[in-house]
Amino acid sequence: IMDGEIGSPVQIRLTSRDPSPPPKKYVEGGGGIFKDMAIHDLDMSRFLMGEDPLEVFATGSCMINQEIADLPGPEAYDTATIIVKYREGRTATIDVCRQATYGYDQRAEALGTAAMVMTDNMYPNTARVFTGDFVGMADLPYDFFMSRYIAAYEAETVAFIDSIESEADAPVTGEDGVIALAMAIAAGLSAKEQRWVKLSEVLPALDGSMEGSPRLRKRDRLSAFLRSLGGARTSEPEPIPA
């Protein structure tokens, strides 16, 4: 995608399913499936699309663990689907579920104007079995996140150390985390009100790329967002001069 081999991204499809649901105590007070699980996929959709999102539509349900059905809002969901709208009608579709009995189901697909690229699940080995009753992988996908993502954690650590040694900016910034959280909040609001939610309703724009938002400095966007979460009433940040 970064080298332009698939052309301009048109559609992103992400699947994220955990092997088993977490205990109720983990879910309770954590903000729900959009904040404690789908936030990673929302962040990934923005990374793969290479731009900030415009709108989010989401829906959720409790299909697996009825113990959490009495929790408020998105905390009661263990299954959800999200559509993220980007410029010119580009979209990302995300499906998440807290249970996949066969192990971690983590797949990604990016369709571009020139080609498509996709990733499949990770397995403990590449052995395949061919019998009269079965053809397929010898093992199920990884069922523990430390095994599934060990290579990613190593890459993150190396990138962080490199940024310190070279005194360069880290490849992932607080701004990325803020926008991912804003997307998760927008998804929760969408599921509650059953409507498209503009990101500008949740997070003021950095440079006008988010439709309908003022142009704000990066630090002002972060502070405005944090104030909105805390309910603080302070003076508005100064817009960037034209």
Side-chain angles (χ1 to χ4, degrees), residues 15 43 53 57 71 77 95 101-102 113 130 138 151 162 169 200-201 209 214 230-231 234 236 241:
T15 292
D43 182 37
F57 183 86
L71 295 179
Y77 303 153
D95 67 89
T101 57
Y102 47 87
T113 53
F130 297 80
D162 286 345
D169 290 338
S200 58
E201 296 180 45
S209 61
T234 59
E236 292 297 319

Side-chain angles (χ1 to χ4, degrees), residues 31-39 74-75 77-80 96 98:
I33 195 168
F34 301 118
K35 291 181 181 176
D36 71 21
M37 184 177 177
I39 190 170
E75 291 185 9
Y77 303 153
D78 55 29
T79 306
V96 295
R98 293 198 187 275

